[in-house]
Amino acid sequence: MLPKVSLITAVKNRAKYIENCMRSVVEQDYPNIEHIVIDGASNDGTLEILEKYRDRIRLYSEADDGPVDAFAKAMEKVTGDIIGFVMSDERYHPGAVEWAVKAFEAHPDAAIIFGDYRVVDEHYDLMYEWKSSPISFTQLLCCEKTIPASASFIRTEALKQQGKLVDVKELIQFNEFGLWVWIAMQHEIRYVPGMVADYMLHSSSFTCTPSFYPKLLQEKEKVIRTALEDPRIPTKMRNLNDRALGGLFYWGAESVIEGAPEQGNAWFARAKRLFSSMLRDLSGAKELALFGAGTEGRIAAAFLEAENITITKIIDNNQALWGTELKGKEVKGADALSGAEFVIVACSRWYEPIARQLESLGFTETDYWRIPVQCLNVRQA
């Protein structure tokens, strides 16, 4: 029997968008879908649109306390083997559900499968395509990469404790970050290439509101601190506090800098202090290498020098830079990384291939880190 896929939609007063969301599910060619729709007592015509799909959805309409409350109610009604989330202003691409089922079949140990998505405006016109990439637990916890909820599916079994679904309200307050961390702490997460969904940005989106982010950062900080104290994570990851919190505030700053520049710069400055603390601790115990001698490498090198952080090697893949000097150190190729215990990567454009290169040389995800150059130019408060 084909696995059942439970799709969850939380909606309130989204008459402008809900039809496209519904149609994107109805037009999926996978035959074993249950679509659970939790409506928060809409009064703008949303319910009338949903009634048109009554024979294809499980519809529940009552007042709720917001998206997380609606999501928790939906989770109590799930009967499928796989769970997906398509919000009222999002839509799946044709074949998305079958893609997820096949991905789980190909990767039986994965608890989360995620793919790629398009970011669209309120008219569904393309703003840009987001191509995801593999993500480690360290990168997730340190907010260096994110799992896109609109392009993600979860194996239901991964959400169970002692045979019962976990109470998602214990994991989520404003954002799914706590859910991802809780699952990834125990199970494999897997990126599978494929365009899965459209994610909409518009003025009424939570993610377009700078005032939303302080509460979100508080929630994420709590998740990070709790995870770092959890006995299930490897001992080597317990010292990630400064890196994780620095990554959190850097992510927050990037998210609000255009709409709330004062808040953004304050968070950049806090991230900078945390990263400085992390690197000073490392430099006292390990040989540090800087990977990158171009523009970003020079910025990073100046910052490290100002913070009295000792770099023993300067590395770059560009042979034209080999033999030149940066801060009194000769630039060499990756072969010279022998003996380095931690690598600071200052090449944002080429980070993914450099990460793979480092891993091929025996470095693990806690042995290298991409320095976020943007926050280095922010004056500390």
Side-chain angles (χ1 to χ4, degrees), residues 183-197:
I183 295 174
M185 194 182 301
Q186 307 168 77
H187 304 284
E188 178 185 346
I189 52 179
R190 173 74 66 158
Y191 166 63
V192 177
M195 195 59 64
V196 179

Side-chain angles (χ1 to χ4, degrees), residues 130-327:
W130 183 268
K131 294 294 181 69
S132 300
S133 59
I135 179 171
S136 68
F137 177 74
T138 297
Q139 291 168 330
L140 174 66
L141 186 68
C142 296
C143 303
E144 295 164 3
K145 288 186 176 182
T146 59
I147 297 174
S150 56
S152 301
F153 292 82
I154 299 174
R155 197 185 298 277
T156 307
E157 197 64 30
L159 287 172
K160 291 183 177 180
Q161 283 186 322
Q162 298 177 340
K164 295 183 178 180
L165 285 175
V166 66
D167 182 359
V168 295
K169 285 187 177 181
E170 295 180 1
L171 305 175
I172 302 174
Q173 292 180 12
F174 301 102
N175 179 268
E176 63 278 355
F177 179 69
L179 179 66
W180 299 144
V181 170
W182 187 82
I183 295 174
M185 194 182 301
Q186 307 168 77
H187 304 284
E188 178 185 346
I189 52 179
R190 173 74 66 158
Y191 166 63
V192 177
M195 195 59 64
V196 179
D198 284 347
Y199 171 77
M200 183 180 289
L201 282 180
H202 54 85
S203 58
S204 59
S205 298
F206 283 125
T207 50
C208 290
T209 308
S211 60
F212 168 72
Y213 282 88
K215 292 181 180 179
L216 180 54
L217 260 69
Q218 287 179 6
E219 179 187 357
K220 286 193 167 190
E221 183 173 355
K222 181 180 178 181
V223 170
I224 289 168
R225 293 188 184 280
T226 300
L228 290 174
E229 294 173 357
D230 194 295
R232 289 173 294 185
I233 73 167
T235 302
K236 193 174 183 179
M237 292 185 179
R238 304 268 171 84
N239 62 355
L240 289 174
N241 183 76
D242 288 346
R243 175 174 171 178
L245 294 179
L248 169 63
F249 284 99
Y250 180 77
W251 170 84
E254 282 198 311
S255 301
V256 305
I257 191 67
E258 291 187 9
E262 185 175 349
Q263 179 68 84
N265 281 318
W267 284 343
F268 272 139
R270 186 166 179 183
K272 182 178 178 180
R273 291 195 295 272
L274 287 160
F275 292 147
S276 297
S277 174
M278 176 193 81
L279 292 171
R280 280 195 294 271
D281 288 345
L282 283 171
S283 65
K286 296 185 177 185
E287 287 199 28
L288 305 188
L290 176 64
F291 203 124
T295 301
E296 290 180 296
R298 290 192 293 273
I299 294 172
F303 165 73
L304 296 168
E305 182 180 58
E307 294 294 317
N308 296 314
I309 295 165
T310 302
I311 294 295
T312 58
K313 302 173 186 288
I314 306 288
I315 306 298
D316 204 289
N317 283 332
N318 183 354
Q319 295 185 25
L321 295 176
W322 294 356
T324 64
E325 287 195 355
L326 178 59
K327 297 297 180 183

Side-chain angles (χ1 to χ4, degrees), residues 93 116-120 126-132 195:
H93 285 206
D116 309 313
Y117 61 99
R118 302 189 329 150
V119 178
V120 300
L126 178 66
M127 298 174 67
Y128 56 90
E129 289 188 350
W130 183 268
K131 294 294 181 69
S132 300
M195 195 59 64

